[in-house]
Amino acid sequence: QVQLVESGGGLVQAGTSLRVSCAASGGAFSTYAMGWFRQAPGKEREFVAFINWSGGTTYYTMSVKGRFTISRDNAKNMVYLQMSSLKPEDTAVYYCAAGRVGFTRNPTAYDYWGQGTQVTVSS
């Protein structure tokens, strides 16, 4: 069983940066791939970024490529999403998820989820 807790969300202006974090506990964190997803009001949850167990492989959805960076620190049981050049359309609740999976955008493939952290980008 893995517990995930996101933090670091907030209200920021367009064009600025923000880092959201996800703290894991209760399981062998380094054996899990991690994903970041987001859900805006009235929309389905969408894939944002993926990182494999070692941190050596990452994938991003096209709309954030070049602006967002996913990383992990297995010694600290942490995964991060550094977001820069934020846009109002990035406004959403951001969730981290853990799964023993290869790269997938499918949220149902992930076993564990955090409660989410709100990111609001004002124009």
Side-chain angles (χ1 to χ4, degrees), residues 14-59:
T16 62
S17 299
L18 188 69
R19 188 179 78 164
V20 291
S21 302
C22 174
S25 62
F29 174 73
S30 64
T31 67
Y32 287 88
M34 300 297 296
W36 281 100
F37 292 78
R38 65 188 180 186
Q39 188 166 19
K43 295 188 177 181
E44 292 187 352
R45 191 167 299 189
E46 67 166 344
F47 166 78
V48 176
F50 168 92
I51 190 166
N52 75 333
W53 66 272
S54 68
T57 300
T58 58
Y59 293 97

Side-chain angles (χ1 to χ4, degrees), residues 30-84:
S30 64
T31 67
Y32 287 88
M34 300 297 296
W36 281 100
F37 292 78
R38 65 188 180 186
Q39 188 166 19
K43 295 188 177 181
E44 292 187 352
R45 191 167 299 189
E46 67 166 344
F47 166 78
V48 176
F50 168 92
I51 190 166
N52 75 333
W53 66 272
S54 68
T57 300
T58 58
Y59 293 97
Y60 301 90
T61 194
M62 188 61 66
S63 63
V64 309
K65 195 172 292 186
R67 300 189 298 121
F68 290 13
T69 302
I70 188 172
S71 62
R72 67 189 296 163
D73 185 336
N74 285 344
K76 295 182 178 179
N77 287 1
M78 296 290 295
V79 64
Y80 307 99
L81 185 68
Q82 178 69 47
M83 303 181 288
S84 61

